[in-house]
């Protein structure tokens, strides 16, 4: 399994892209602005999109993806996410006002896009690749994902604040290799982090203290303009884990 980071920033500007991962050549995990860097040939190959939550930085490219490639495909693109997020996407994005409802185009029996509901703790298998939604604690219904190739696994927190359930999953995972965890704000914005249900470095340290397994820790969703500050704070507060900054273009093979 090959996971390529197409976007991992908390914002845009220059070469920054919002949360997007490409898994092998047929699956996206979140569909932020990073999707736009794929070629048309690559876009056509996307069969599945797993979504953590409905915030725009994670779903903004689904409408453009479906609209761009639908005429070139014989199968619908499958959007995997929770029942709550499906409802929000239907009501607030694919509602004919912001964007057409591609789950009804060209018709409801044979649409360009379909939704598949995921439930926390249940594993979706695509070939040998396993995706399990894990709990997240955010201002809208949200999940993270545990991705397992059979040889190893990558745990992605999604957008989350303090989240004991995530560490319970991490601690009982059989073959953990990588942890990608958000830290959206620096310490001086701890109050904003709490209110918006994200993490800051001091909160990240409190969270990582609950982790009993040996994994490589990568930080995502850093706010543009505060990247160096936040990473410096993380290096001090969570030194034991040697967290590294997740980079656009980075590839994990496991
Ligand atoms: Zn969010
Ligand atoms: Zn986000």
């Amino acid at each position: 399994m090959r996971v390529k980071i197409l976007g991992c920033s908390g914002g845009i500007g220059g070469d920054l892209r919002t949360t997007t991962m490409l898994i092998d050549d047929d699956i996206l995990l979140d569909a932020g602005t990073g999707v736009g860097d794929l070629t048309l040939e690559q876009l056509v190959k996307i069969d599945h999109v797993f979504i953590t939550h409905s915030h725009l930085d994670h779903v903004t490219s689904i409408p453009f993806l479906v609209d761009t490639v639908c005429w070139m495909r014989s199968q619908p693109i499958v959007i995997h996410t929770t029942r709550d997020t499906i409802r929000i996407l239907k009501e607030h994005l694919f509602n004919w006002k912001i964007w057409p409802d591609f789950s009804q185009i060209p018709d409801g029996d044979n649409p360009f896009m379909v939704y598949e509901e995921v439930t926390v703790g249940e594993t979706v298998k695509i070939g040998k690749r396993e995706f399990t939604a894990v709990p997240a604690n955010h201002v809208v219904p949200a999940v993270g994902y545990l991705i397992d190739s059979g040889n190893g696994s990558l745990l992605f927190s999604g957008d989350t604040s303090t989240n004991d359930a995530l560490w319970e999953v991490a601690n009982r995972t059989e073959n953990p290799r990588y942890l990608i965890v958000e830290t959206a704000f620096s310490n001086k914005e701890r109050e904003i982090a709490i209110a918006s249900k994200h993490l800051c470095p001091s909160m990240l340290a409190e969270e990582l203290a609950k982790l009993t397994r040996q994994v490589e820790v990568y930080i995502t969703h850093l706010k543009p303009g505060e990247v160096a500050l936040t990473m410096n704070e993380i290096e001090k507060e969570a030194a034991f884990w040697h967290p590294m900054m997740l980079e656009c273009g980075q590839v994990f093979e496991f």
Side-chain angles (χ1 to χ4, degrees), residues 228-239:
L229 170 66
T230 309
M231 282 310 299
N232 279 337
E233 291 176 346
I234 289 172
E235 278 156 26
K236 282 181 199 134
E237 303 249 10

Side-chain angles (χ1 to χ4, degrees), residues 156-211:
F156 172 44
S157 71
D159 285 11
T160 193
S161 191
T162 305
N163 182 6
D164 287 354
L166 176 69
W167 308 110
E168 282 167 27
V169 171
N171 290 338
R172 65 166 190 263
T173 298
E174 237 174 64
N175 47 11
R177 201 169 297 181
Y178 308 109
L179 167 69
I180 297 177
V181 60
E182 74 126 283
T183 307
F185 292 103
S186 65
N187 275 336
K188 66 178 159 56
E189 293 157 326
R190 183 178 168 111
E191 292 311 311
I192 300 171
I194 291 169
S196 61
K197 293 206 171 187
H198 283 288
L199 294 171
C200 67
S202 60
M203 296 166 77
L204 174 73
E206 291 159 13
E207 290 299 287
L208 286 176
K210 302 167 190 169
L211 179 60

Side-chain angles (χ1 to χ4, degrees), residues 92-110:
H92 299 286
L93 183 54
F94 293 98
N95 59 6
W96 296 105
K97 297 183 181 76
I98 300 294
W99 206 249
D101 180 0
F102 276 88
S103 70
Q104 300 299 319
I105 301 173
D107 60 71
D109 293 330
N110 197 20

